[in-house]
Amino acid sequence: FFLKRIVKVQNQSQSFETRSRIFKMMQSGFQFEIAGPGLKELECPICLGIVRNAIELPCEHLMCKACLEHYEKEITDTSQRERLNNDNSSNNNVVFRCSVCMTPYKVEDKKSVKSMDRIAQTSVHIKCLQKQCDWVGCIKDYTDHEKKCNFIWIQCPFAQLGCFTDVLRGELMMHNETNRLAHDSLVLAALSSFADERKTYQHKINQQGEQIQNLEKLLLKNTQKIQSIEEENEKLKYKTDQQAMVSNKTTNDIENLKCDQKQLEMKIDGHELTVGNLTVAVNDMKSKTQSSESLVNINSNEINNLKTFAVRMSQLHMKLSDTNIHNENNIFNYLEEWQYVDNEDVISWNIFVDNFSEEIEEYPYLDTLEKASRRYKNTIYPKYWSERLNKLRQYLVCGVVAWNYVKLTIGPLRNIFVTIYETLAEFNEEVSKAKYCRRSALTASYRNYEESCLYIAVFYYRAIEDVWVLDWEDIEMSKSVLPGEMVALEASKHWEGDVILEINEA
């Protein structure tokens, strides 16, 4: 319920002190206004509120658990910084003291006192946080009261249909009665929209039914073709079997002829047989010698290529181990064309890849290595503007100003309206309106579908010269946006999706 209170405080443009007070309520003691005399022993000496999650120190003083832990963390962090600044310091002891009597204590000596929490939440009478409300009760009952308090701002029940008015709970019936016609119009418009959608869906269903029928016909036709092909395959198989039988018979005839030939060879004179055997042996020795020489040459070439592969792979690993390559912040150093051309890291990388891929032999592993180096060239330092801008888009967080760039989601809109605020107070006052959605601490936006326009609010503490909407394909086609004026975006430039603004300082 404290988060809900913070949202309502923003909608009513209350002071910074009020928002700070409610934030402290979430982190430390209960910051209610006490109705009547208060119990001093139930007050946290750190946040001066009613104690929450009471912790008792050995000196019997009570404090909020969150307040005490925050105090201990600050003391610990301060001690660590002092040790880092003083290399000769060897004292690791951290001393915690009671904020009331300054008595030292150890963390393990403090203890939780749940009985005090029950007393604080049931015995102390408090007033409602809404100044107009005269309710008085205990902290434990405040949650139930807040659900019924007539002075809390709530959202109109017809908000999902288009009524975005926030009203006091006690004035809800009057709001509904006053805006009955408008609410009825919103309901009728929603029903009409649902009817149109139903017709659209029915039309799609009919189209898909026709497609299913066409596919069924095509399936039947293909099934018939498959059956016809299977019949032809059976006929071909029969013919193949017949040809195999003929082939087997021919093979037997050949074997018989070979046997006859062997018998004739055995009748050759011994002298001729000896000469023939010697000739065969000499030829066999020559063949083995030539094969050995060829194998030696092949192994030598393979070893040289493997050496080349190892050297180039080592060079690639050394280059990829450079920290500048993996630092995504580098995209800001070579985003624009003049930065890309003059960047020493980019020049060094391009020369390395070009030299790396020269005179690649036709071996699979060398060819694969060359393709990998080309792919690295297109991803680490992209050559084209669209690739560099896409890399910047992936690095930027939506709504967060990084250097002088900010990325926002534009959606299916065709206009853009940018407002730059020089003071944080003016920015917060504008974006506190219900129509804005805060994207970060410094940016907010909302979509006006009637105007097909994205309204963007940015707090930038330095003087601004101009603002540009970066084009996805060509930096020369980027569009200048004059703050405070609506600018049309060209539909052919892929403005749908993310839009990146470049803020140039004066």
Side-chain angles (χ1 to χ4, degrees), residues 2 8 47 71 190 208 210 242 251 274 335 466 479 492:
F2 290 119
K8 293 308 175 186
C47 66
Y71 157 73
Q208 292 176 354
E210 293 177 358
Q242 294 294 326
T251 302
T274 303
L335 177 63
D466 54 14
K479 184 175 288 292
S492 61

Side-chain angles (χ1 to χ4, degrees), residues 29-189:
F30 298 102
Q31 301 296 315
F32 292 101
E33 181 180 352
I34 299 177
L39 300 176
K40 191 68 177 177
E41 60 271 17
L42 296 179
E43 181 182 280
C44 174
I46 297 178
C47 66
L48 302 181
I50 302 172
V51 69
R52 183 206 299 260
N53 298 328
I55 299 296
E56 184 181 36
L57 299 180
C59 59
E60 298 184 353
H61 287 121
L62 295 177
M63 300 179 187
C64 297
K65 180 181 179 182
C67 295
L68 193 59
E69 290 177 348
H70 181 71
Y71 157 73
E72 292 172 352
K73 184 178 184 301
E74 286 186 348
I75 295 299
T76 303
D77 293 344
T78 302
S79 177
Q80 290 178 353
R81 288 195 297 270
E82 290 177 353
R83 289 201 303 273
L84 291 175
N85 294 333
N86 187 2
D87 295 336
N88 297 326
S89 175
S90 60
N91 185 13
N92 295 327
N93 295 327
V94 180
V95 180
F96 302 111
R97 297 181 182 274
C98 174
S99 61
V100 178
C101 61
M102 302 305 291
T103 301
Y105 71 92
K106 296 181 179 179
V107 175
E108 58 268 20
D109 294 337
K110 64 183 181 181
K111 59 183 178 179
S112 175
V113 188
K114 295 184 178 180
S115 59
M116 283 299 178
D117 289 332
R118 289 194 294 271
I119 294 173
Q121 297 185 36
T122 58
S123 301
V124 179
H125 293 283
I126 61 170
K127 295 181 180 180
C128 179
L129 291 175
Q130 309 299 324
K131 298 301 182 181
Q132 305 92 329
C133 182
D134 56 359
W135 177 86
V136 175
C138 63
I139 297 175
K140 186 176 181 181
D141 297 334
Y142 182 77
T143 302
D144 295 333
H145 164 70
E146 190 179 37
K147 296 178 181 178
K148 301 181 291 185
C149 181
N150 291 330
F151 295 95
I152 291 180
W153 291 87
I154 62 174
Q155 195 177 46
C156 176
F158 294 86
Q160 293 184 348
L161 298 180
C163 182
F164 302 108
T165 304
D166 289 347
V167 298
L168 293 174
R169 182 181 281 118
E171 299 177 357
L172 180 60
M173 294 182 62
M174 182 184 299
H175 169 75
N176 290 337
E177 186 66 27
T178 304
N179 298 274
R180 177 179 296 176
L181 293 178
H183 291 169
D184 292 344
S185 298
L186 293 174
V187 173
L188 291 175

Side-chain angles (χ1 to χ4, degrees), residues 311-329:
V311 170
R312 293 178 178 177
M313 181 60 75
S314 301
Q315 292 174 347
L316 181 59
H317 278 300
M318 288 296 294
K319 200 68 177 179
L320 293 178
S321 64
D322 188 355
T323 56
N324 289 334
I325 288 180
H326 302 286
N327 186 358
E328 294 183 347
N329 287 326

Side-chain angles (χ1 to χ4, degrees), residues 37 89 260 453 462:
S89 175
D260 295 340
C453 180
R462 295 180 179 175

